[in-house]
């Protein structure tokens, strides 16, 4: 969320005519765009994969690899795109393939390139995590997720993981729906009976 905030706040800057005049068509705009798109969308996509993977497959992804993936993406995102704000402010234009050594963009571009390597490593960790978990599942050595690994309160978490055809088998019927959080209601009803 803080990274998406950086993209949003720099959007206000790009929307200000005085600043926009200086940074138009520079790497400042590239950094702003990537903070909004990558930090906002890609992080949300990965969060969704980690959230829904247990329901779809019946097994949990490795938490340690997930944490490593997260921190590599956070570090890589900031190390890649923060220097681009400075590069744009210093006048580095977009859509130019090479720059003279005396332009002074080398060090910040090296930082951005190093950050891109961290992003690539984070993506590799994610792919290895998914493939390793699916392989362990096929061999029967994976950690079962259970039906509701996150303590959800909505109906999808009442179905077995992975869900069978038609979601709710005869031995596990659909729980009664009396509010927006039917599993929480069921938990309270069963807790009051005990």
């Amino acid at each position: 969320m803080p990274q998406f905030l950086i993209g949003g706040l720099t959007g206000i800057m790009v929307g200000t005519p005085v600043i926009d005049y200086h940074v138009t068509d520079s790497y400042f705009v590239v950094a702003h765009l990537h903070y909004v798109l990558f930090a906002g969308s890609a992080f949300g996509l990965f969060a969704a994969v980690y959230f829904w993977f247990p329901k779809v497959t019946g097994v949990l992804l490795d938490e340690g690899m997930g944490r490593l993936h997260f921190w590599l993406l956070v570090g890589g995102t900031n190390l890649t795109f923060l220097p681009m704000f400075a590069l744009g402010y210093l006048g580095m234009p977009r859509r130019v393939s090479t720059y003279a050594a005396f332009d002074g963009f080398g060090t910040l571009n090296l930082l951005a390139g190093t950050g891109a390597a961290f992003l690539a490593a984070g993506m590799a960790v994610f792919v290895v995590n998914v493939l390793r978990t699916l392989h362990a599942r096929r061999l029967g050595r994976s950690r079962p997720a259970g039906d509701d690994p996150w303590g959800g309160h909505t109906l999808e978490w009442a179905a077995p993981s992975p869900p069978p055809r038609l979601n709710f088998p005869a031995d596990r019927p659909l729980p009664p729906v009396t509010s927006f959080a039917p599993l929480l209601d069921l938990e309270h009803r069963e807790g009051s009976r005990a």
Side-chain angles (χ1 to χ4, degrees):
M1 199 65 177
Q3 294 179 359
F4 186 70
L5 180 65
I6 292 171
L9 291 176
T10 56
I12 295 169
M13 295 168 73
V14 172
T16 305
V18 174
I19 298 173
D20 187 47
Y21 182 78
H22 179 68
V23 298
T24 292
D25 216 22
S26 74
Y27 259 64
F28 191 94
V29 176
V30 174
H32 158 70
L33 176 74
H34 283 85
Y35 260 105
V36 171
L37 290 181
F38 187 77
S41 303
F43 275 80
L45 173 71
F46 285 119
V49 170
Y50 281 98
F51 184 76
W52 288 108
F53 193 86
K55 181 50 76 180
V56 173
T57 64
V59 294
L60 291 164
L61 288 167
D62 182 72
E63 185 176 347
M65 289 186 79
R67 289 176 186 273
L68 178 61
H69 172 228
F70 173 77
W71 288 113
L72 283 170
L73 284 188
V74 168
T77 299
N78 290 311
L79 193 57
T80 301
F81 303 126
L82 271 177
M84 289 183 184
F85 286 121
L87 286 166
Y89 190 76
L90 293 173
M92 182 172 155
R94 310 189 291 170
R95 302 185 198 104
V96 176
S97 61
T98 58
Y99 301 93
F102 59 81
D103 284 341
F105 301 141
T107 303
L108 290 172
N109 272 316
L110 180 63
L111 280 174
T114 304
F118 276 95
L119 287 174
M123 298 300 178
V125 166
F126 174 74
V127 169
V128 167
N129 193 1
V130 169
L131 293 177
R132 200 174 94 181
T133 302
L134 291 175
H135 182 67
R137 176 181 169 230
R138 193 172 338 117
L139 297 175
R141 289 187 266 164
S142 58
R143 184 172 55 143
D147 297 338
D148 187 9
W150 312 125
H153 301 306
T154 51
L155 290 176
E156 64 270 17
W157 301 107
S161 295
R165 186 166 187 253
L166 302 177
N167 291 338
F168 294 97
D171 62 329
R172 303 236 339 241
L174 182 71
V177 179
T178 57
S179 75
F180 67 91
L183 294 188
L184 185 62
D185 296 340
L186 185 63
E187 186 180 304
H188 283 261
R189 276 195 298 277
E190 289 176 355
S192 63
R193 284 186 215 152

